[in-house]
């Protein structure tokens, strides 16, 4: 079963009352309307893409240690994935799928890092729950996500639904703003240029991590030439 198969099955369970959290029809409609509005906004098309230079960043990992993109890129290519947070089951499946290919990524000389606006404590919880062998970096205010063109503000009706679900983003992120990154996956070469970009305003859709491997093969071949 592919990652997207798992996500589709989870979405079907959620929308048909087979999930621990059972939404009302009105809540579902609000969520679907917000996703469609984000798609229609065209923001994903304006995010950074392959051929653009990636912004540099320095963020804290779950242990509070500083991690810089420059240091990661000095060792090899970087796979950077932006995700919403520990509270998002789609994101957790995505992280687990990345962990499953981590060895394949690392054998190609690359490293993985996940970026989320959540607090360090929530990153630690996310790391424990998903048993990751790569760092989760805290991106306060989704500031780095904004540099990549990924940050968006939640509409008021969706904020109310999230509150009803108990997803208190100001508490989870220690930030009064109700902002999130669109889920995105980037491969950044050692030269700082983006070699692969996948951004989807529909958080239930994620690319298969296997797509990363040919890109990493190409980058490695280029550095060894």
């Amino acid at each position: 079963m592919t990652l997207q198969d798992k996500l589709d099955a989870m979405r079907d369970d959620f929308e048909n009352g087979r999930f621990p959290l059972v939404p009302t029809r009105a809540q579902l409609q609000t969520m679907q309307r917000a996703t469609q509005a984000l798609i229609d906004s065209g923001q994903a098309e304006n995010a950074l893409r392959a051929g653009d230079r990636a912004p540099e960043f320095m963020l804290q990992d779950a242990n509070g240690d500083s991690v810089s993109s420059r240091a990661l890129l000095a060792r090899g290519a970087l796979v950077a994935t932006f995700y919403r947070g520990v509270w998002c089951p789609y994101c957790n499946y995505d992280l687990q799928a990345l962990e499953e290919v981590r060895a394949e990524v690392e054998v190609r000389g690359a490293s993985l890092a996940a970026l989320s606006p959540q607090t360090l404590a929530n990153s630690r919880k996310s790391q424990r729950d998903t048993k990751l062998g790569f760092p989760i970096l805290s991106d306060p205010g989704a500031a780095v996500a904004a540099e990549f063109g990924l940050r968006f503000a939640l509409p008021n009706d969706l904020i109310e639904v999230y509150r009803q679900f108990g997803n208190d983003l100001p508490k989870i992120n220690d930030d009064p703003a109700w902002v999130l990154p669109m889920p995105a996956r980037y491969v950044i070469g050692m030269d700082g240029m983006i070699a692969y970009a996948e951004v989807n305003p529909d958080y239930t859709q994620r690319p298969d991590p296997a797509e990363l491997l040919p890109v990493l093969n190409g980058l490695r071949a280029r550095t060894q030439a």
Side-chain angles (χ1 to χ4, degrees), residues 55-120:
E56 292 188 6
F57 58 81
M58 180 176 288
L59 300 171
Q60 289 184 309
D61 65 15
N63 297 316
D65 296 323
S66 294
V67 177
S68 74
S69 58
R70 181 175 293 186
L72 293 172
L73 290 171
R75 304 201 303 258
L78 171 63
V79 176
T81 190
F82 289 83
Y83 79 108
R84 290 151 32 108
V86 65
W87 53 274
C88 173
Y90 297 92
C91 297
N92 293 329
Y93 267 32
D94 192 28
L95 293 179
Q96 289 166 354
L98 284 168
E99 175 62 24
E100 289 174 4
V101 301
R102 178 170 60 87
E104 294 286 343
V105 169
E106 292 175 348
V107 80
R108 289 164 170 80
S111 58
L112 278 160
L115 289 76
S116 166
Q118 67 193 4
T119 62
L120 300 187

Side-chain angles (χ1 to χ4, degrees), residues 204-221:
T204 70
Q205 303 293 310
R206 306 295 170 100
D208 196 289
E211 293 181 13
L212 301 169
L213 303 183
V215 180
L216 295 174
N217 287 340
L219 288 174
R220 193 177 192 193

Side-chain angles (χ1 to χ4, degrees), residues 135-213:
I136 296 177
L137 307 180
S138 182
D139 179 20
V144 175
E147 292 188 61
F148 278 79
L150 304 173
R151 185 176 67 187
F152 70 97
L154 277 66
N156 290 334
D157 55 353
L158 185 60
I159 289 173
E160 183 56 33
V161 168
Y162 277 21
R163 283 186 171 133
Q164 292 165 0
F165 288 167
N167 293 332
D168 186 352
L169 297 192
K171 182 177 180 180
I172 293 168
N173 298 339
D174 192 24
D175 177 10
W178 285 78
V179 296
L180 288 173
M182 289 183 289
R185 190 115 72 230
Y186 288 95
V187 176
I188 305 169
M190 294 180 71
D191 58 359
M193 302 301 292
I194 297 172
Y196 167 96
E198 205 286 337
V199 181
N200 201 319
D202 182 348
Y203 61 89
T204 70
Q205 303 293 310
R206 306 295 170 100
D208 196 289
E211 293 181 13
L212 301 169
L213 303 183

